[in-house]
Amino acid sequence: MSLRSAVRGVVRPLRCVFGPPSRGYSAVADARAILERELEGIRVAGTWKGERVITSKQGPHINVDGSRGAILNFCANNYLGLSSHPEVVQAGVDALKTYGAGLSSVRFICGTQDLHKNLEQKLAEFHQREDCILYASCFDANAGLFEVLLGPDDAVLSDELNHASIIDGIRLCRAQRLRYKHMSLEDLEAKLQETQSSRMRLVVTDGVFSMDGDVAPLPGICDLAERYGAMVFVDECHATGFLGARGRGTDELLGVMDRVHIINSTLGKALGGAAGGYTVGPKPLIDLLRQRSRPYLFSNSLPPPVVGSSTRAVELLLASNEIAQSMTAKTMRFRDKMTAAGFTIAGSAHPICPVMLGDARLASLMSDDMLKLGIYVVGFSFPVVPKGKARIRVQISAAHSEQDIDRCVEAFIQTGRKHGVIS
């Protein structure tokens, strides 16, 4: 190589670095400025969502980076305390050793193991439905259902406060889409009358609405669905495992297990708290989802340790309702004591206990002060909840003791008085 060629090889890259910005570089700089302005707007509004770092396993008592000693955790979806249950953890370890870390594949290629089929069978048994299909999350289960089930000749009627994953899943289908007012049977009936010419109609609701802890009026919904020839779908993520006499969910709690046709739920909350979701319902529907549901067909199968842990959690609930039954008294202890102290608690008789504050910045400041008192809670604000509806969402677990609950209430009283929320 000549000296001139060598020099040319060095100078050209330097020109790229130190010369005038390319058109692509300018576009990146413009995008960065736009994003920074958007982020600053979130900070100014007081709705910035920081992430605290937990340095221990999930449970009622955790260690938090930057905090001293054990912290009482009152904001996890670990309703039954099974995330760190010794048998659940051991089942995950055993599955890891026997089946490996993962399948490196989707289910229909080479990603189905006997433990996946076993978990699906147990979940179908648990919900008393014909069949079950597993997904990577319930978000995926909701994204995969409506597009397959409903076409342009059909209609879907959805509660206006349904979970974001339901809203996104419905957007993917070509059916006529109607929203009815939150838990309003009158408005739902009007929408059913409006769509009587549709081939199929599906009424879609959360069983428990996660931001408020209110329970859908399933008996009334089922009455209307039967009157107008519609099917009923319920998302049971915040009910599976602990609502109802045997923890089957809101359909058991309200006596309509044989009238709800399709259920989606999660393995990532009460059932071990790892990951994964599923659909249970009529076998023809589950068979069709295996053929056409995009999140199922194009996502890796659930890792064996997750399946092993979740299977053991379901087995524990199939064997006994003792854990689920312990929830009611603890939930009401917190709700009654907080109400007596002067706080406004949304919902009713559900372990989700939203402490309503209204102001986003206040919710953030109070949750920070609660952490200083050894209580881990998080302020919720827009866009997670509507503007002006900021809150601290407390979640009671079967693993909390009465002393844990009383300590949480005392911390709320101290912090509430500091910020003028209560006198």
PDB file of all heavy atoms in Angstrom, residues 47 355-364 379-382 385-393:
ATOM      1  N   THR A  47     -45.339  13.520  37.263  1.00  0.00           N
ATOM      2  CA  THR A  47     -45.795  12.154  36.972  1.00  0.00           C
ATOM      3  C   THR A  47     -44.644  11.236  36.572  1.00  0.00           C
ATOM      4  O   THR A  47     -44.869  10.171  36.009  1.00  0.00           O
ATOM      5  CB  THR A  47     -46.847  12.172  35.851  1.00  0.00           C
ATOM      6  OG1 THR A  47     -46.294  12.797  34.673  1.00  0.00           O
ATOM      7  CG2 THR A  47     -48.086  12.950  36.277  1.00  0.00           C
ATOM      8  N   VAL A 355     -55.557   4.452  47.982  1.00  0.00           N
ATOM      9  CA  VAL A 355     -55.682   5.606  48.874  1.00  0.00           C
ATOM     10  C   VAL A 355     -55.749   6.842  47.987  1.00  0.00           C
ATOM     11  O   VAL A 355     -54.746   7.279  47.410  1.00  0.00           O
ATOM     12  CB  VAL A 355     -54.487   5.682  49.848  1.00  0.00           C
ATOM     13  CG1 VAL A 355     -54.656   6.866  50.801  1.00  0.00           C
ATOM     14  CG2 VAL A 355     -54.340   4.371  50.620  1.00  0.00           C
ATOM     15  N   MET A 356     -56.932   7.407  47.839  1.00  0.00           N
ATOM     16  CA  MET A 356     -57.169   8.467  46.865  1.00  0.00           C
ATOM     17  C   MET A 356     -56.638   9.811  47.372  1.00  0.00           C
ATOM     18  O   MET A 356     -56.972  10.239  48.484  1.00  0.00           O
ATOM     19  CB  MET A 356     -58.663   8.570  46.556  1.00  0.00           C
ATOM     20  CG  MET A 356     -59.282   7.276  46.058  1.00  0.00           C
ATOM     21  SD  MET A 356     -58.465   6.604  44.573  1.00  0.00           S
ATOM     22  CE  MET A 356     -58.858   7.876  43.369  1.00  0.00           C
ATOM     23  N   LEU A 357     -55.805  10.459  46.516  1.00  0.00           N
ATOM     24  CA  LEU A 357     -55.173  11.722  46.898  1.00  0.00           C
ATOM     25  C   LEU A 357     -55.450  12.834  45.893  1.00  0.00           C
ATOM     26  O   LEU A 357     -55.432  14.006  46.247  1.00  0.00           O
ATOM     27  CB  LEU A 357     -53.658  11.517  47.048  1.00  0.00           C
ATOM     28  CG  LEU A 357     -53.247  10.510  48.137  1.00  0.00           C
ATOM     29  CD1 LEU A 357     -51.758  10.205  48.039  1.00  0.00           C
ATOM     30  CD2 LEU A 357     -53.603  11.031  49.520  1.00  0.00           C
ATOM     31  N   GLY A 358     -55.648  12.478  44.625  1.00  0.00           N
ATOM     32  CA  GLY A 358     -55.975  13.472  43.607  1.00  0.00           C
ATOM     33  C   GLY A 358     -54.776  14.068  42.918  1.00  0.00           C
ATOM     34  O   GLY A 358     -54.669  14.046  41.699  1.00  0.00           O
ATOM     35  N   ASP A 359     -53.840  14.625  43.695  1.00  0.00           N
ATOM     36  CA  ASP A 359     -52.701  15.343  43.128  1.00  0.00           C
ATOM     37  C   ASP A 359     -51.523  14.399  42.898  1.00  0.00           C
ATOM     38  O   ASP A 359     -51.108  13.667  43.809  1.00  0.00           O
ATOM     39  CB  ASP A 359     -52.280  16.468  44.069  1.00  0.00           C
ATOM     40  CG  ASP A 359     -51.122  17.283  43.510  1.00  0.00           C
ATOM     41  OD1 ASP A 359     -51.351  18.063  42.577  1.00  0.00           O
ATOM     42  OD2 ASP A 359     -49.989  17.107  44.013  1.00  0.00           O
ATOM     43  N   ALA A 360     -50.964  14.432  41.690  1.00  0.00           N
ATOM     44  CA  ALA A 360     -49.881  13.511  41.327  1.00  0.00           C
ATOM     45  C   ALA A 360     -48.627  13.757  42.158  1.00  0.00           C
ATOM     46  O   ALA A 360     -47.981  12.816  42.628  1.00  0.00           O
ATOM     47  CB  ALA A 360     -49.565  13.652  39.831  1.00  0.00           C
ATOM     48  N   ARG A 361     -48.270  15.013  42.330  1.00  0.00           N
ATOM     49  CA  ARG A 361     -47.061  15.324  43.089  1.00  0.00           C
ATOM     50  C   ARG A 361     -47.204  14.897  44.550  1.00  0.00           C
ATOM     51  O   ARG A 361     -46.269  14.389  45.167  1.00  0.00           O
ATOM     52  CB  ARG A 361     -46.749  16.820  43.000  1.00  0.00           C
ATOM     53  CG  ARG A 361     -45.351  17.194  43.484  1.00  0.00           C
ATOM     54  CD  ARG A 361     -45.104  18.681  43.289  1.00  0.00           C
ATOM     55  NE  ARG A 361     -45.213  19.045  41.894  1.00  0.00           N
ATOM     56  CZ  ARG A 361     -44.229  18.904  41.008  1.00  0.00           C
ATOM     57  NH1 ARG A 361     -43.078  18.380  41.391  1.00  0.00           N
ATOM     58  NH2 ARG A 361     -44.397  19.269  39.753  1.00  0.00           N
ATOM     59  N   LEU A 362     -48.396  15.090  45.109  1.00  0.00           N
ATOM     60  CA  LEU A 362     -48.650  14.677  46.488  1.00  0.00           C
ATOM     61  C   LEU A 362     -48.506  13.168  46.633  1.00  0.00           C
ATOM     62  O   LEU A 362     -47.898  12.686  47.595  1.00  0.00           O
ATOM     63  CB  LEU A 362     -50.059  15.108  46.907  1.00  0.00           C
ATOM     64  CG  LEU A 362     -50.550  14.611  48.278  1.00  0.00           C
ATOM     65  CD1 LEU A 362     -49.674  15.147  49.393  1.00  0.00           C
ATOM     66  CD2 LEU A 362     -52.010  15.013  48.486  1.00  0.00           C
ATOM     67  N   ALA A 363     -49.028  12.412  45.674  1.00  0.00           N
ATOM     68  CA  ALA A 363     -48.916  10.954  45.723  1.00  0.00           C
ATOM     69  C   ALA A 363     -47.461  10.516  45.689  1.00  0.00           C
ATOM     70  O   ALA A 363     -47.050   9.599  46.412  1.00  0.00           O
ATOM     71  CB  ALA A 363     -49.696  10.329  44.565  1.00  0.00           C
ATOM     72  N   SER A 364     -46.666  11.201  44.881  1.00  0.00           N
ATOM     73  CA  SER A 364     -45.246  10.868  44.782  1.00  0.00           C
ATOM     74  C   SER A 364     -44.498  11.206  46.072  1.00  0.00           C
ATOM     75  O   SER A 364     -43.705  10.412  46.582  1.00  0.00           O
ATOM     76  CB  SER A 364     -44.616  11.607  43.595  1.00  0.00           C
ATOM     77  OG  SER A 364     -43.239  11.332  43.490  1.00  0.00           O
ATOM     78  N   GLY A 379     -46.836   5.859  44.279  1.00  0.00           N
ATOM     79  CA  GLY A 379     -47.881   6.761  43.807  1.00  0.00           C
ATOM     80  C   GLY A 379     -48.231   6.477  42.358  1.00  0.00           C
ATOM     81  O   GLY A 379     -47.343   6.289  41.524  1.00  0.00           O
ATOM     82  N   PHE A 380     -49.522   6.441  42.043  1.00  0.00           N
ATOM     83  CA  PHE A 380     -50.004   6.219  40.680  1.00  0.00           C
ATOM     84  C   PHE A 380     -50.599   7.516  40.163  1.00  0.00           C
ATOM     85  O   PHE A 380     -51.411   8.144  40.847  1.00  0.00           O
ATOM     86  CB  PHE A 380     -51.088   5.134  40.652  1.00  0.00           C
ATOM     87  CG  PHE A 380     -50.555   3.729  40.760  1.00  0.00           C
ATOM     88  CD1 PHE A 380     -49.521   3.409  41.616  1.00  0.00           C
ATOM     89  CD2 PHE A 380     -51.100   2.712  40.002  1.00  0.00           C
ATOM     90  CE1 PHE A 380     -49.036   2.120  41.721  1.00  0.00           C
ATOM     91  CE2 PHE A 380     -50.633   1.415  40.092  1.00  0.00           C
ATOM     92  CZ  PHE A 380     -49.591   1.119  40.956  1.00  0.00           C
ATOM     93  N   SER A 381     -50.207   7.892  38.951  1.00  0.00           N
ATOM     94  CA  SER A 381     -50.730   9.119  38.364  1.00  0.00           C
ATOM     95  C   SER A 381     -50.879   8.932  36.857  1.00  0.00           C
ATOM     96  O   SER A 381     -50.603   7.858  36.322  1.00  0.00           O
ATOM     97  CB  SER A 381     -49.794  10.295  38.670  1.00  0.00           C
ATOM     98  OG  SER A 381     -48.473  10.023  38.196  1.00  0.00           O
ATOM     99  N   PHE A 382     -51.322   9.962  36.164  1.00  0.00           N
ATOM    100  CA  PHE A 382     -51.521   9.914  34.713  1.00  0.00           C
ATOM    101  C   PHE A 382     -50.209   9.526  34.020  1.00  0.00           C
ATOM    102  O   PHE A 382     -49.157   9.972  34.427  1.00  0.00           O
ATOM    103  CB  PHE A 382     -51.984  11.300  34.224  1.00  0.00           C
ATOM    104  CG  PHE A 382     -52.262  11.364  32.761  1.00  0.00           C
ATOM    105  CD1 PHE A 382     -53.477  10.912  32.258  1.00  0.00           C
ATOM    106  CD2 PHE A 382     -51.297  11.856  31.886  1.00  0.00           C
ATOM    107  CE1 PHE A 382     -53.719  10.968  30.891  1.00  0.00           C
ATOM    108  CE2 PHE A 382     -51.540  11.913  30.513  1.00  0.00           C
ATOM    109  CZ  PHE A 382     -52.754  11.469  30.025  1.00  0.00           C
ATOM    110  N   VAL A 385     -53.524   6.329  35.624  1.00  0.00           N
ATOM    111  CA  VAL A 385     -54.890   6.638  36.064  1.00  0.00           C
ATOM    112  C   VAL A 385     -55.255   7.999  35.470  1.00  0.00           C
ATOM    113  O   VAL A 385     -54.378   8.764  35.039  1.00  0.00           O
ATOM    114  CB  VAL A 385     -54.997   6.669  37.607  1.00  0.00           C
ATOM    115  CG1 VAL A 385     -54.715   5.296  38.184  1.00  0.00           C
ATOM    116  CG2 VAL A 385     -54.053   7.708  38.203  1.00  0.00           C
ATOM    117  N   PRO A 386     -56.544   8.343  35.414  1.00  0.00           N
ATOM    118  CA  PRO A 386     -56.935   9.639  34.837  1.00  0.00           C
ATOM    119  C   PRO A 386     -56.338  10.820  35.594  1.00  0.00           C
ATOM    120  O   PRO A 386     -56.026  10.722  36.783  1.00  0.00           O
ATOM    121  CB  PRO A 386     -58.466   9.614  34.948  1.00  0.00           C
ATOM    122  CG  PRO A 386     -58.839   8.176  35.044  1.00  0.00           C
ATOM    123  CD  PRO A 386     -57.709   7.522  35.777  1.00  0.00           C
ATOM    124  N   LYS A 387     -56.185  11.935  34.913  1.00  0.00           N
ATOM    125  CA  LYS A 387     -55.714  13.152  35.560  1.00  0.00           C
ATOM    126  C   LYS A 387     -56.667  13.546  36.687  1.00  0.00           C
ATOM    127  O   LYS A 387     -57.886  13.457  36.547  1.00  0.00           O
ATOM    128  CB  LYS A 387     -55.617  14.284  34.535  1.00  0.00           C
ATOM    129  CG  LYS A 387     -54.490  14.093  33.529  1.00  0.00           C
ATOM    130  CD  LYS A 387     -54.392  15.264  32.564  1.00  0.00           C
ATOM    131  CE  LYS A 387     -53.223  15.074  31.586  1.00  0.00           C
ATOM    132  NZ  LYS A 387     -53.102  16.181  30.621  1.00  0.00           N
ATOM    133  N   GLY A 388     -56.081  13.972  37.800  1.00  0.00           N
ATOM    134  CA  GLY A 388     -56.886  14.347  38.954  1.00  0.00           C
ATOM    135  C   GLY A 388     -57.303  13.181  39.829  1.00  0.00           C
ATOM    136  O   GLY A 388     -57.999  13.362  40.826  1.00  0.00           O
ATOM    137  N   LYS A 389     -56.890  11.956  39.452  1.00  0.00           N
ATOM    138  CA  LYS A 389     -57.256  10.756  40.212  1.00  0.00           C
ATOM    139  C   LYS A 389     -56.018  10.058  40.773  1.00  0.00           C
ATOM    140  O   LYS A 389     -56.013   8.838  40.984  1.00  0.00           O
ATOM    141  CB  LYS A 389     -58.023   9.777  39.317  1.00  0.00           C
ATOM    142  CG  LYS A 389     -59.334  10.321  38.779  1.00  0.00           C
ATOM    143  CD  LYS A 389     -60.399  10.377  39.845  1.00  0.00           C
ATOM    144  CE  LYS A 389     -61.748  10.765  39.263  1.00  0.00           C
ATOM    145  NZ  LYS A 389     -62.811  10.798  40.285  1.00  0.00           N
ATOM    146  N   ALA A 390     -54.961  10.806  41.051  1.00  0.00           N
ATOM    147  CA  ALA A 390     -53.733  10.206  41.580  1.00  0.00           C
ATOM    148  C   ALA A 390     -54.004   9.534  42.915  1.00  0.00           C
ATOM    149  O   ALA A 390     -54.886   9.957  43.678  1.00  0.00           O
ATOM    150  CB  ALA A 390     -52.645  11.269  41.727  1.00  0.00           C
ATOM    151  N   ARG A 391     -53.228   8.512  43.185  1.00  0.00           N
ATOM    152  CA  ARG A 391     -53.461   7.709  44.390  1.00  0.00           C
ATOM    153  C   ARG A 391     -52.209   6.955  44.773  1.00  0.00           C
ATOM    154  O   ARG A 391     -51.263   6.855  43.976  1.00  0.00           O
ATOM    155  CB  ARG A 391     -54.578   6.699  44.122  1.00  0.00           C
ATOM    156  CG  ARG A 391     -54.137   5.618  43.140  1.00  0.00           C
ATOM    157  CD  ARG A 391     -55.244   4.984  42.372  1.00  0.00           C
ATOM    158  NE  ARG A 391     -56.052   5.924  41.618  1.00  0.00           N
ATOM    159  CZ  ARG A 391     -57.176   5.588  40.986  1.00  0.00           C
ATOM    160  NH1 ARG A 391     -57.597   4.344  41.043  1.00  0.00           N
ATOM    161  NH2 ARG A 391     -57.865   6.474  40.316  1.00  0.00           N
ATOM    162  N   ILE A 392     -52.218   6.403  45.962  1.00  0.00           N
ATOM    163  CA  ILE A 392     -51.250   5.379  46.354  1.00  0.00           C
ATOM    164  C   ILE A 392     -52.028   4.075  46.439  1.00  0.00           C
ATOM    165  O   ILE A 392     -52.955   3.953  47.239  1.00  0.00           O
ATOM    166  CB  ILE A 392     -50.573   5.709  47.693  1.00  0.00           C
ATOM    167  CG1 ILE A 392     -49.678   6.938  47.544  1.00  0.00           C
ATOM    168  CG2 ILE A 392     -49.756   4.518  48.180  1.00  0.00           C
ATOM    169  CD1 ILE A 392     -49.044   7.399  48.840  1.00  0.00           C
ATOM    170  N   ARG A 393     -51.684   3.127  45.575  1.00  0.00           N
ATOM    171  CA  ARG A 393     -52.422   1.862  45.541  1.00  0.00           C
ATOM    172  C   ARG A 393     -51.746   0.862  46.473  1.00  0.00           C
ATOM    173  O   ARG A 393     -50.665   0.371  46.190  1.00  0.00           O
ATOM    174  CB  ARG A 393     -52.496   1.308  44.119  1.00  0.00           C
ATOM    175  CG  ARG A 393     -53.456   0.124  43.993  1.00  0.00           C
ATOM    176  CD  ARG A 393     -53.465  -0.463  42.603  1.00  0.00           C
ATOM    177  NE  ARG A 393     -52.252  -1.208  42.332  1.00  0.00           N
ATOM    178  CZ  ARG A 393     -52.050  -1.932  41.219  1.00  0.00           C
ATOM    179  NH1 ARG A 393     -52.986  -1.967  40.289  1.00  0.00           N
ATOM    180  NH2 ARG A 393     -50.923  -2.580  41.034  1.00  0.00           N
TER     181      ARG A 393
END
